[in-house]
Amino acid sequence: EWTALHFSQSNPTGVNQGDVAALLRRVAETIDGLGDVTVQDITFHAEPTADEDDLTMTVYYHSTPRRRVSKD
């Protein structure tokens, strides 16, 4: 059995909630804050609203360190 951890993140509701670049930065900061993890998958969802789209990203990850190229 292989279990993945996950978190979902959105921009705050209101002006600029549809700013994709801002959401990507927020998700990147959160991933950095997790430390050395292995990201398995990232999903993106845009839900149309009366004003700007409501964006959500979900990151699936494992607490094992990510793979790296050997520096031999």
Side-chain angles (χ1 to χ4, degrees):
E1 182 176 323
W2 208 38
T3 303
L5 303 167
H6 74 280
F7 68 87
S8 295
Q9 207 160 9
S10 296
N11 288 328
T13 301
V15 177
N16 294 325
Q17 77 182 24
D19 187 340
V20 175
L23 179 56
L24 288 168
R25 285 189 292 273
R26 294 167 59 84
V27 168
E29 289 173 8
T30 300
I31 292 170
D32 281 345
L34 293 173
D36 194 7
V37 299
T38 299
V39 174
Q40 178 180 341
D41 193 22
I42 298 175
T43 64
F44 177 85
H45 179 75
E47 184 71 31
T49 68
D51 297 313
E52 296 186 42
D53 287 348
D54 183 14
L55 309 177
T56 304
M57 292 185 75
T58 301
V59 178
Y60 299 89
Y61 67 98
H62 303 277
S63 58
T64 55
R66 67 182 174 89
R67 296 173 4 135
R68 292 185 170 78
V69 174
S70 176
K71 294 183 181 181
D72 295 341

